[in-house]
Amino acid sequence: MTGEVDYLIVGGGSAGCVLANRLSADPATTVALIEAGGEGRGALIEMPVGAVTMLPTRLNNWAFETVPQPGLNGRRGYQPRGKALGGSSAINAMIYTRGHRSDYDHWAALGNAGWSYDEVLPYFRKAENNERLHDEFHGQGGPLHVGELRSANPWQQVWLQAAREAGFALNDDFNGASQDGIGIYQVTQHRGERWSAARAYLHPVMDARDNLHVLTKAQTLRVLFDGKRAIGIEMARGRHVERLMARREVILCAGALQTPQLLQVSGVGDGAFLQRTGIHLKHHLPGVGRNLQDHIDFTFGYRVPDTALFGFSPAGSINALREYARYRRERSGLLTSNFAEGGGFLRVSPDSPAPDVQLHFVVALVDDHARKLHLRHGLSCHVCLLRPRSRGTVLVQSGDVRDAPLIDPKYFDDPDDLEVLVEGWKLTQRLLQAPAIASRLKRDLFTAGVSSDHEIREVIRNRADTIYHPSGTCRMGTDPMAVVDPSLRVHGVQGLRVVDASVMPTLIGGNTNAPTIMIAEKAADLILAAG
């Protein structure tokens, strides 16, 4: 490739893959995509259960940590982020949810024209190829396969039966007319294999389009400016530092943790902070790295002697060998599980305008993001706070982007967050105590004897952590603390946009991969319309 292209995309995650595909569809337009990780291929990514090997390791994973969190009794939180083409869609649990209608209407009400639910729904549909749902909420023919789990795990029916017994409504489409209720998640899989954003958008075209250049194992070091205009990037490939220039735009898609870091090391951010850090200021933009929001999550865990659940035992090992043969033969069974097979969206009060908490019912015993392993089989159930009021920061610790950013979500900084999660904890326990589940549980590992609100608060502070949805650190808006405008152009400079979860003004009520893909689909149209 030459040293200059029309569009230069930094970050090959979900948003970057979408943009690389859509912007390079015109053969007269040259596009380069820069990714620090590898190509996002191979069995550990494509086989759905391979995700469990990613969480506790640095394999395809940046594996960041937060600064110590007072709200978590001084513990550091874990922040896994995908490091490969496909980004976090290459290591996540593949759950396809979009959030609530009111989330996007709220974005529009904050002054972000064009981002209401009715205006973003066409982009969700454009991306989607839904194998079961064919109605006004869903799309067919898009690059992103969305379908049913092929695990046939009997615990799905146990989960639904417990919901009936506990008096919760069932919902077979969390992305349809109503989000409320308990159900089984649809997933970004196709024929029993993970369908990451790279597999959907990038792998089919990256070797077929001469105008699309994909550089892996390339770490972007900083954005280059000519005055107030972004003109390219500096990147490290192996031992070499190279420059790549953009005729039209530089587009940052490095995610909610690394996009603000990259802006700051490039001299775009709060002027006083950057000068204290020794970074030469290019443009004062105080909102960069502010407004961090994340879904804080508590996990119940139980031992259950059932080889339909993941675990370690002689019988489980024999069953795993059978299931591996089944997977190779027909791409179905236990190894197609996303682990978090069931879930739900619940309101803690009849006055809540939308669900306050989300559940993830996991057919494995998960402790500390699978970094602590337990012998025997078991199950888990997560409950996460959907709309935290707490706001944190992502700030550089030096002028070198290779030094991990200082991530401070400020979990429970707003005391209301803890109180809402306490009520969500009680709703989840009510469901887990329904006969269909409770009759099968053998040992409560983390919450035995916990009953008072004080005890619930303490066990939450001692055990809660992220469910992997950081966002908002380069938020969209028109006020002085906004980083990008509603067209995702960085305020005060030219030739620079941000397209990833960092632009979300507020965290949506659900998993964030599908909304990030939607943001990129809409951004592609905005960029192409601008020429």
Side-chain angles (χ1 to χ4, degrees):
M1 62 174 297
T2 63
E4 187 175 52
V5 293
D6 292 316
Y7 296 105
L8 206 166
I9 302 166
V10 176
S14 293
C17 289
V18 174
L19 288 177
N21 179 303
R22 299 305 191 193
L23 298 182
S24 66
D26 178 357
T29 301
T30 54
V31 178
L33 174 65
I34 314 302
E35 167 56 40
E39 289 202 353
R41 305 179 194 264
L44 283 180
I45 289 177
E46 293 164 7
M47 182 188 297
V49 297
V52 76
T53 68
M54 311 297 181
L55 287 176
T57 74
R58 290 190 175 275
L59 181 62
N60 298 327
N61 185 357
W62 290 96
F64 294 125
E65 287 190 331
T66 72
V67 301
Q69 295 294 290
L72 304 184
N73 288 339
R75 292 182 294 120
R76 291 179 181 269
Y78 183 46
Q79 288 283 325
R81 294 283 90 195
K83 187 180 182 182
L85 293 179
S88 294
S89 75
I91 66 171
N92 68 358
M94 297 159 279
I95 294 170
Y96 183 82
T97 63
R98 302 171 176 172
H100 195 268
R101 169 186 285 270
S102 63
D103 295 322
Y104 304 101
D105 289 342
H106 182 53
W107 290 4
L110 291 172
N112 297 294
W115 292 91
S116 70
Y117 177 78
D118 287 339
E119 290 167 305
V120 302
L121 179 59
Y123 291 102
F124 280 116
R125 297 185 67 207
K126 180 180 182 179
E128 183 184 5
N129 184 33
N130 199 297
E131 70 177 29
R132 174 173 64 89
L133 298 168
H134 303 162
D135 58 27
E136 67 271 26
F137 297 104
H138 296 281
Q140 281 73 49
L144 187 67
H145 286 285
V146 178
E148 312 309 307
L149 283 159
R150 293 161 63 106
S151 67
N153 196 305
W155 278 86
Q156 293 182 16
Q157 295 307 313
V158 174
W159 174 245
L160 297 179
Q161 179 58 28
R164 295 185 191 97
E165 293 169 350
F168 293 106
L170 300 187
N171 189 340
D172 71 347
D173 180 11
F174 295 126
N175 303 303
S178 173
Q179 189 188 43
D180 296 70
I182 301 295
I184 306 302
Y185 286 120
Q186 285 201 306
V187 290
T188 50
Q189 291 184 13
H190 182 51
R191 296 176 180 170
E193 296 184 357
R194 174 190 296 274
W195 212 254
S196 70
R199 203 166 183 190
Y201 285 90
L202 194 61
H203 291 161
V205 302
M206 61 186 282
D207 295 325
R209 294 179 181 174
D210 293 337
N211 62 321
L212 173 60
H213 311 281
V214 179
L215 283 67
T216 57
K217 305 293 185 179
Q219 172 79 63
T220 299
L221 302 178
R222 63 189 178 106
V223 178
L224 302 173
F225 287 89
D226 181 3
K228 292 285 187 176
R229 181 172 185 83
I231 58 171
I233 64 160
E234 192 172 79
M235 62 183 174
R237 301 179 73 193
R239 297 181 179 180
H240 303 284
V241 175
E242 305 172 23
R243 289 188 170 191
L244 185 59
M245 313 308 284
R247 280 185 289 268
R248 296 185 184 177
E249 293 190 16
V250 176
I251 307 167
L252 303 185
C253 303
L257 304 182
Q258 288 159 290
T259 286
Q261 180 193 21
L262 187 55
L263 283 171
Q264 289 170 28
V265 300
S266 304
V268 179
D270 181 79
F273 168 74
L274 294 183
Q275 289 172 349
R276 288 197 306 271
T277 312
I279 297 172
H280 176 67
L281 179 66
K282 295 290 178 61
H283 178 62
H284 175 62
L285 198 56
V288 174
R290 310 290 173 178
N291 193 49
L292 173 62
Q293 299 156 64
D294 192 14
H295 285 146
I296 185 68
D297 174 87
F298 178 82
T299 308
F300 295 82
Y302 303 89
R303 285 186 179 163
V304 184
D306 187 342
T307 58
L309 301 167
F310 288 90
F312 300 93
S313 70
S317 299
I318 294 170
N319 185 55
L321 290 174
R322 287 196 297 263
E323 289 294 332
Y324 180 68
R326 180 182 179 186
Y327 179 79
R328 292 195 64 180
R329 185 175 63 249
E330 60 191 54
R331 291 295 193 267
S332 66
L334 191 67
L335 301 191
T336 65
S337 178
N338 72 327
F339 294 97
E341 298 197 4
F345 294 85
L346 304 176
R347 306 184 192 218
V348 302
S349 165
D351 298 327
S352 299
D356 303 284
V357 294
Q358 180 181 1
L359 310 187
H360 297 84
F361 181 70
V362 181
V363 293
L365 178 55
V366 179
D367 187 1
D368 192 19
H369 312 277
R371 295 187 293 182
K372 297 176 182 176
L373 297 179
H374 293 255
L375 298 177
R376 306 180 189 174
H377 299 264
L379 63 82
S380 308
C381 189
H382 297 249
V383 53
C384 81
L385 177 68
L386 286 177
R387 294 174 186 82
R389 296 187 180 184
S390 302
R391 297 290 185 269
T393 59
V394 175
L395 300 174
V396 296
Q397 58 177 322
S398 78
D400 190 338
V401 76
R402 290 165 291 196
D403 293 332
L406 299 173
I407 304 164
D408 186 4
K410 298 189 185 300
Y411 293 128
F412 303 129
D413 189 55
D414 188 311
D416 185 68
D417 290 349
L418 183 57
E419 297 312 305
V420 175
L421 192 53
V422 166
E423 296 307 310
W425 192 99
K426 295 175 185 178
L427 287 174
T428 309
Q429 189 183 55
R430 176 178 134 198
L431 199 159
L432 295 172
Q433 290 177 343
I437 292 178
S439 63
R440 294 168 166 84
L441 304 181
K442 292 302 179 185
R443 184 180 174 189
D444 181 344
L445 294 179
F446 310 134
T447 58
V450 175
S451 59
S452 70
D453 283 6
H454 173 72
E455 291 168 333
I456 296 170
R457 291 187 194 101
E458 279 309 296
V459 75
I460 289 174
R461 287 189 185 276
N462 286 330
R463 296 197 58 83
D465 202 356
T466 182
I467 197 71
Y468 323 123
H469 301 150
S471 67
T473 49
C474 295
R475 73 170 174 85
M476 173 171 45
T478 56
D479 60 281
M481 290 300 291
V483 176
V484 300
D485 68 17
S487 293
L488 309 185
R489 296 169 297 201
V490 176
H491 286 298
V493 298
Q494 291 78 49
L496 184 62
R497 291 191 207 233
V498 173
V499 181
D500 56 33
S502 70
V503 306
M504 295 181 182
T506 53
L507 184 52
I508 59 93
N511 308 76
T512 50
N513 187 54
T516 300
I517 290 172
M518 175 277 292
I519 288 169
E521 286 278 16
K522 182 174 173 64
D525 276 2
L526 293 170
I527 293 166
L528 292 171

